[in-house]
């Protein structure tokens, strides 16, 4: 059954070894840098219980009548993807900002492995049974599921074995009950998640069939031996009135250390077989890329809204140069939306029986959303102008003496008074120009792999036969030019 927000908070063990700013965190649900985002995750659970949002956030199992999360439901139809998009929008409306690592975009990585059951069966039938069970468990137990891919890579010109072998997570031994792993992974939200799908980031296995680094498993984040070393958060650095997004929606990135952690065999999804690891790396974002890219729509809407309100309050909206920039922002937003909508419309049935978005359209949309985001951020910053970096803080506006002068110089007319202008400029600053804004931009660029990996996904998904056949016929090429693809 769907949990309440309080039940989610109670699931986060107080025994977790979490550090931030050099201090041990006693209660991750109450710590000032974690509490805002933990509160949003709790609200997601509560939204599924409230009358106004229950039917958007949850569905009734036709066999049992129990309600489950729309986000965790494996997609079987186009309708399922439209329902998922509506649920994401509901969450982002509630957050009043963009939150990414809240579970719906990472659970899809398990569905990708579900599509690879045939390969898993060839290696060890236990593994395919394990992935089916964990996909079902994520639905019935309403777990906050995240994904752990990235290792502390060390010297990337060397193989893992040729340097500190623990820089990439690996299996150090087997036991009767499972495997013991050692190493570390970066994962956003790990310190306040319930479980993670841990998998290798290595793509080139050097032709080897077996490797201690080729391992994938589900880990309960309350497991003994895990240590969570977190980057400092943005919440609390400034007043919420001055940094509304930083305070509200910052998601804490974490280095998760596996200090000889034992993983039960029932939670192992593949082990040592590089064939399974390579399959996963090529299909990992088959489903998760859609909700991830969906977030770019909300980023675009926030930028458009901040920029348009700003040019309206300064009286510049009618200028052709301003409208040109606004139109460019709109084109970006609608292009991303078109790719997502078309990917669902052109979807097909996957090898595992799921409804799979069209991969070429989906991955192209992701490249567009991520690669064009820096330029769109700059456009929005231009439209908001230099006042986002020079406006005094809320305390100065509230001060009786200083506030009198700020009221004079920040009020435009009876519709645009100083307080509303301050709020708009503070929001735009946090969206476009703060430490949080820079972090958000970099996260979006790399959270689902670096740009070259995103383009590689397009390369593998695109149907090259159409352009080749077109030019062959148009140029009158002979059949001799046909041949295998050359690397």
């Amino acid at each position: 059954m769907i949990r309440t927000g309080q039940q989610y908070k109670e699931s986060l063990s107080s025994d977790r070894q979490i550090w931030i700013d050099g201090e041990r965190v006693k209660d991750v649900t109450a710590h000032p840098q974690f509490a805002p985002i933990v509160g949003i995750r709790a609200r997601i659970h509560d939204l599924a219980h409230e009358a106004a949002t229950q039917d958007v956030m949850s569905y009734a199992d036709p066999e049992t009548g129990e309600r489950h999360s729309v986000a965790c439901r494996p997609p079987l139809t186009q309708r399922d993807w439209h329902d998922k998009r509506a649920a994401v929008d509901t969450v982002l409306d509630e957050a009043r900002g963009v939150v990414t690592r809240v579970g719906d975009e990472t659970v899809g990585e398990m569905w990708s492995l579900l599509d690879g059951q045939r390969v898993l069966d060839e290696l060890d039938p236990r593994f395919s049974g394990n992935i089916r069970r964990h996909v079902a468990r994520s639905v019935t137990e309403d777990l906050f599921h995240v994904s752990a891919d990235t290792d502390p890579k060390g010297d990337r010109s060397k193989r893992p074995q040729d340097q500190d072998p623990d820089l990439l997570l690996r299996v150090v031994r087997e036991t009767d009950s499972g495997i013991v792993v050692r190493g570390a992974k970066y994962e956003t939200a790990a310190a306040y998640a319930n479980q993670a799908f841990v998998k290798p980031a290595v793509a080139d296995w050097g032709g080897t069939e077996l490797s201690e680094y080729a391992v994938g498993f589900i880990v309960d984040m309350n497991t003994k031996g895990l240590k969570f070393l977190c980057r400092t958060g943005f919440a609390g650095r400034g007043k919420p009135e001055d940094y509304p997004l930083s305070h509200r929606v910052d998601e804490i990135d974490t280095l998760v250390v596996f200090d000889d952690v034992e993983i039960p065999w029932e939670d192992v999804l593949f082990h040592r077989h590089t064939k399974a690891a390579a399959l996963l790396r090529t299909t990992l974002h088959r489903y998760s890329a859609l909700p991830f890219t969906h977030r770019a729509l909300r980023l675009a809407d926030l930028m458009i809204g901040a920029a348009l309100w700003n040019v309206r309050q300064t009286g510049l909206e009618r200028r052709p140069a301003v409208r040109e920039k606004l139109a460019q922002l709109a084109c970006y937003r609608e292009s991303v939306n078109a790719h997502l909508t078309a990917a669902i419309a052109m979807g097909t049935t996957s090898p595992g029986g799921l409804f799979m978005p069209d991969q070429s359209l989906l991955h192209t949309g992701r490249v567009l959303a991520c690669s064009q985001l820096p330029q769109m951020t700059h456009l929005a910053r231009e439209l908001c102008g230099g006042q986002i970096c020079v406006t005094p803080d809320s305390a100065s506006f509230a001060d009786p003496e200083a506030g009198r002068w700020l009221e004079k110089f920040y009020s435009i007319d009876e519709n645009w008074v100083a307080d509303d202008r301050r709020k708009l400029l503070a929001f735009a600053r946090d969206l476009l120009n703060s430490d949080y804004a820079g972090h958000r931009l970099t996260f979006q660029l790399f959270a689902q792999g670096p740009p070259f990996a995103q383009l590689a996904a397009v390369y593998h998904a695109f149907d090259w036969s159409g352009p080749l056949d077109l030019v062959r016929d148009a140029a009158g090429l002979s059949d001799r030019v046909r041949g295998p693809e050359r690397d």
Side-chain angles (χ1 to χ4, degrees), residues 17 56 67 69 77 175 197 232 244:
Q17 298 184 57
V56 177
R67 298 198 73 84
S69 169
T77 65
T175 68
F197 178 13
T232 185

Side-chain angles (χ1 to χ4, degrees), residues 364-411:
T364 302
R366 183 177 63 172
V367 167
L368 186 152
C370 295
S371 63
Q372 297 302 307
L373 183 57
Q375 181 185 353
M376 295 302 107
T377 301
H378 181 64
L379 272 179
R381 193 184 294 120
E382 274 193 82
L383 289 167
C384 288
Q387 283 194 316
I388 62 174
C389 65
V390 299
T391 295
D393 58 26
S394 59
S396 296
F397 278 81
D399 180 82
E401 186 172 357
R404 180 168 60 88
W405 292 103
L406 290 169
E407 184 73 27
K408 171 180 173 61
F409 290 110
Y410 273 82
S411 292

Side-chain angles (χ1 to χ4, degrees), residues 430-464:
D430 211 10
L431 176 67
L432 304 169
N433 222 47
S434 65
D435 287 351
Y436 166 78
H439 175 270
R440 174 78 250 179
L441 178 60
T442 303
F443 181 91
Q444 197 72 15
L445 290 174
F446 289 96
Q448 283 206 340
F452 75 85
Q454 295 184 21
L455 286 166
V458 174
Y459 181 88
H460 290 297
F462 184 75
D463 182 3
W464 299 99

Side-chain angles (χ1 to χ4, degrees), residues 40-269:
I40 287 177
R41 178 60 244 189
R43 280 294 297 147
I44 293 173
H45 291 287
D46 286 338
L47 287 170
H49 292 274
E50 296 174 4
T53 50
Q54 183 184 62
D55 290 337
V56 177
M57 299 297 294
S58 69
Y59 68 97
D61 186 298
E63 296 182 1
T64 66
E66 292 185 353
R67 298 198 73 84
H68 302 303
S69 169
V70 164
C72 294
R73 183 182 192 175
L76 300 177
T77 65
Q78 282 187 358
R79 182 71 256 166
D80 287 339
W81 280 111
H82 293 306
D83 290 345
K84 288 177 184 296
R85 291 188 69 179
V88 169
D89 283 333
T90 299
V91 170
L92 299 184
D93 286 343
E94 181 72 20
R96 292 174 294 143
V98 175
V99 286
T100 301
R101 290 291 191 255
V102 289
D104 62 90
E105 85 300 344
T106 46
V107 72
E109 296 179 1
M110 286 200 296
W111 304 338
S112 295
L113 195 57
L114 193 67
D115 282 346
Q117 290 179 74
R118 181 184 58 79
V119 172
L120 297 181
D121 276 332
E122 293 174 0
L123 304 176
D124 189 328
R126 291 180 301 174
F127 297 157
S128 62
N130 287 348
I131 187 60
R132 288 193 298 271
R133 182 171 56 82
H134 275 290
V135 168
R137 181 171 173 257
S138 69
V139 173
T140 58
E141 298 186 23
D142 193 27
L143 300 170
F144 178 14
H145 175 92
V146 294
S147 174
D149 297 352
T150 304
D151 307 82
K153 297 179 175 63
D155 187 340
R156 299 177 73 175
S157 68
K158 297 179 180 179
R159 298 186 309 164
Q161 302 92 323
D162 298 332
Q163 52 187 315
D164 183 341
D166 296 335
L167 285 177
L168 272 68
L169 186 137
R170 65 191 178 107
V171 178
V172 292
R173 65 179 180 276
E174 296 182 12
T175 68
D176 291 340
S177 54
I179 59 175
V180 177
V181 297
R182 181 188 303 161
K185 290 284 186 180
Y186 287 103
E187 176 49 31
T188 304
Y192 47 93
N194 295 125
Q195 67 176 25
F197 178 13
V198 181
K199 65 199 79 66
V202 172
D204 183 5
W205 299 97
T208 61
E209 293 185 6
L210 300 175
S211 170
E212 67 266 34
Y213 297 97
V215 59
F217 55 87
I218 303 296
V219 61
D220 184 330
M221 291 309 209
N222 288 332
T223 300
K224 299 295 184 183
L226 293 177
K227 306 179 193 308
F228 303 88
L229 312 180
C230 305
R231 69 155 173 86
T232 185
F234 296 111
R237 287 193 190 180
K239 293 182 178 180
E241 295 84 358
D242 297 316
Y243 296 94
L245 292 172
S246 298
H247 181 79
R248 191 163 60 236
V249 295
D250 180 34
E251 301 169 75
I252 305 296
D253 310 294
T254 304
L255 179 66
V256 185
V257 176
F258 292 77
D259 186 17
D260 284 11
V261 173
E262 186 170 46
I263 308 299
W265 282 117
E266 58 265 28
D267 295 336
V268 177
L269 304 180

